[in-house]
Amino acid sequence: LATGAGDLLYVNAAYARLHGLTRERLIGRSLYDFVPADQRPALKRRIEQSLAERQPLQSKNQVDTPEGRRWVLWTNLGFDDGRGGVMLHSVGRDIHAQVETETRLRESEARFRLIAEASPDVIMTLDRNLRRTYVSPACRELFGEEPEALIGHETGRKSHPEDFARLRGAMRSLLDGRAERHVCVSRRRHKAGHWVWLETCYRAVRDPATGAVSSLVAISRDITERKTAEAKLTEACERLEALAGQDGLTGLANR
């Protein structure tokens, strides 16, 4: 409980423990004394808004404690003090662990996007319905399509008819938990109309809380040149085998 200017009139035991002081030593001090200087203007604006509107408003800021700075979520409510002034009622909840987790998650996502967007391979994430939830920019060169045109659509629909069932079976085995990783070689139609040979590594992603497979990650690379070279090598071997079985002078089959 504080005055409209932020001077503390009452604090409970939890607030006192947060700051490592007795309740008596906190009364009369300003609540802004425990807020980092760069965050005070924003907090002051939110409190003034709550005092003016007489409606509960939430604000999030750090507070200085003996153990360091911690994030607290406040619900502030302004009300009349009965003497023509206003008072502030604040209830705070320690959300430091939640904010740190969210920060680490954002940093992890940023690193993933940096790696994905710099890679020449196409990186995709798929939900349990095999719809794409993320596609890296490399799809522009490999598939001739923009990421936005692929996100939200089911994967595999532009695969070669001879490869579709095998690809779908591999992905289903990952979703069912029967496998953790599959490497598949298949063909996909480019937007320009030709077929592109792909080597795709599919991996299951499990929910850390339940252990159930929640999504898939797929990394595809263009192996068209390799497949072309393999085809030429196979053809050359077949010609050599045919020549080895034929007499060069008479053209008749060797015994």
Side-chain angles (χ1 to χ4, degrees):
L1 189 66
T3 66
D7 297 327
L8 296 171
L9 300 174
Y10 168 82
V11 298
N12 67 0
Y15 187 88
R17 285 196 301 272
L18 179 67
H19 295 295
L21 298 171
T22 63
R23 297 163 69 177
E24 292 75 18
R25 291 188 62 186
L26 287 166
I27 301 302
R29 295 190 61 174
S30 171
L31 60 86
Y32 298 108
D33 291 345
F34 306 101
V35 177
D38 61 328
Q39 299 178 37
R40 291 174 192 169
L43 176 60
K44 190 172 187 294
R45 287 193 297 271
R46 294 292 288 169
I47 289 177
E48 288 175 348
Q49 182 182 359
S50 178
L51 292 172
E53 297 179 2
R54 303 294 199 273
Q55 294 290 331
L57 294 175
Q58 288 191 334
S59 62
K60 179 177 68 175
N61 62 269
Q62 290 176 296
V63 295
D64 290 318
T65 74
E67 287 76 33
R69 291 183 175 177
R70 299 190 67 80
W71 283 98
V72 178
L73 178 67
W74 300 98
T75 300
N76 300 310
L77 174 63
F79 63 96
D80 297 322
D81 64 2
R83 298 188 297 273
V86 291
M87 298 181 67
L88 179 71
H89 180 270
S90 295
V91 177
R93 180 164 60 90
D94 189 331
I95 59 168
H96 190 75
Q98 175 186 331
V99 171
E100 284 200 327
T101 299
E102 292 172 350
T103 300
R104 287 195 296 269
L105 180 60
R106 286 194 299 270
E107 292 173 348
S108 177
E109 290 177 346
R111 285 194 296 270
F112 169 79
R113 287 186 179 275
L114 179 64
I115 294 170
E117 292 177 7
S119 173
D121 299 336
V122 174
I123 301 174
M124 300 185 294
T125 56
L126 312 171
D127 64 16
R128 286 196 57 84
N129 294 316
L130 300 179
R131 284 192 290 263
R132 306 178 190 93
T133 55
Y134 171 80
V135 182
S136 67
C139 68
R140 296 188 181 106
E141 182 175 349
L142 196 54
F143 304 151
E145 300 188 63
E146 292 294 320
E148 294 76 16
L150 299 173
I151 293 173
H153 297 282
E154 188 177 353
T155 191
R157 290 300 179 183
K158 293 188 178 181
S159 299
H160 195 283
E162 295 177 3
D163 303 332
F164 179 77
R166 177 168 47 82
L167 284 175
R168 186 53 57 95
M171 288 185 277
R172 283 298 172 194
S173 70
L174 293 169
L175 292 172
D176 295 342
R178 291 179 282 118
E180 294 295 321
R181 179 176 176 272
H182 269 303
V183 177
C184 298
V185 174
S186 62
R187 289 154 288 183
R188 186 195 193 277
R189 189 178 292 280
H190 192 277
K191 188 177 182 179
H194 60 275
W195 293 102
V196 179
W197 279 98
L198 302 174
E199 181 181 75
T200 303
C201 177
Y202 296 96
R203 185 177 293 276
V205 178
R206 294 185 177 273
D207 186 310
T210 65
V213 176
S214 58
S215 59
L216 302 180
V217 172
I219 303 176
S220 298
R221 64 179 47 184
D222 187 348
I223 60 167
T224 304
E225 289 187 5
R226 190 183 86 189
K227 294 297 289 186
T228 301
E230 289 174 356
K232 290 180 178 179
L233 180 60
T234 300
E235 183 182 350
C237 289
E238 290 174 350
R239 286 203 305 270
L240 286 173
E241 186 175 352
L243 289 172
Q246 185 181 50
D247 184 272
L249 180 62
T250 64
L252 298 175
N254 286 331
R255 297 175 63 186

